[in-house]
Amino acid sequence: SQTIHQWPATLVQPVGSPLSLECTVEGTSNPNLYWYRQAAGRGLQLLFYSVGIGQISSEVPQNLSASRPQDRQFILSSKKLLLSDSGFYLCAQTGSGETQYFGPGTRLLVL
Amino acid sequence: GENVEQHPSTLSVQEGDSAVIKCTYSDSASNYFPWYKQELGKGPQLIIDIRSNVGEKKDQRIAVTLNKTAKHFSLHITETQPEDSAVYFCAASSGTYKYIFGTGTRLKVLA
């Protein structure tokens, strides 16, 4: 089964502070991993995806970055948060097929 | 660029009635079409999917139909229940493991 852990569940951060969101997955080895952002009441925006350790593809220019230090660990970071970084951040993985399974999400509020 | 249009954006039905959500995709190479249900504050959950070599798939009260010629696919929920209330997203994939998501439909089932 595909199990995804995300933490923290909620986070309130001041503008200009750093960010680190973590995602760990269980299931098949060498999964594709994804970071999405969802603004309130909106759709899903793909931020980053990774097909392997150290391999990161960025979909949109922004002040966020991603890293994959281990096969089943995906980290989303920022050096200085902006107000516009507020949102619901979702990690997803694919297993042996192309179906994406989503984690529970992290709600980030930047004040 | 490639996109997926989803309609309606909101849908209210009486309990026991049917609900239909429609999506249109632009990438003719799309061959996999998942549907997700997202409850408030949670990550999207896969509810049903269909591949391009199949015209229809059913799972209890949920069915998905695909018209490749018209590039349309639809989600059908019969005998709706209050717990079906959520936001539903369609997506299309061309096998690159990247999804193009629709903008979502907020379904309200009125008791």
Side-chain angles (χ1 to χ4, degrees), chain B residues 47-58:
Chain B
I47 55 172
I48 197 167
D49 55 9
I50 193 168
R51 298 189 182 279
S52 59
N53 59 348
V54 176
E56 183 174 0
K57 183 177 179 180
K58 189 173 182 180

Side-chain angles (χ1 to χ4, degrees), chain A residues 44 99-102, chain B residues 4-8 19-24 32-38 44-51 57 62-66 72-77 87-92 99 101-105:
Chain A
L44 298 160
T99 302
Q100 291 188 23
Y101 297 93
F102 286 85
Chain B
V4 173
E5 294 186 2
Q6 183 172 347
H7 298 283
V20 181
I21 302 171
K22 299 181 179 181
C23 290
T24 304
Y32 177 65
F33 308 90
W35 284 91
Y36 291 86
K37 175 184 179 182
Q38 186 177 26
Q45 298 296 309
L46 179 74
I47 55 172
I48 197 167
D49 55 9
I50 193 168
R51 298 189 182 279
K57 183 177 179 180
I62 295 174
V64 57
T65 59
L66 172 65
H72 289 168
F73 59 112
S74 300
L75 178 71
H76 304 253
I77 305 174
V87 179
Y88 291 81
F89 290 97
C90 64
Y99 288 2
F101 281 94
T103 50
T105 296

Side-chain angles (χ1 to χ4, degrees), chain A residues 52-79:
Chain A
I53 295 174
Q55 300 179 63
I56 309 295
S57 296
S58 175
E59 288 296 297
V60 292
Q62 59 211 321
N63 70 320
L64 299 172
S65 62
S67 62
R68 185 170 177 176
Q70 300 180 42
D71 183 43
R72 297 178 181 177
Q73 184 184 30
F74 205 22
I75 297 173
L76 184 69
S77 304
S78 174
K79 293 182 179 179

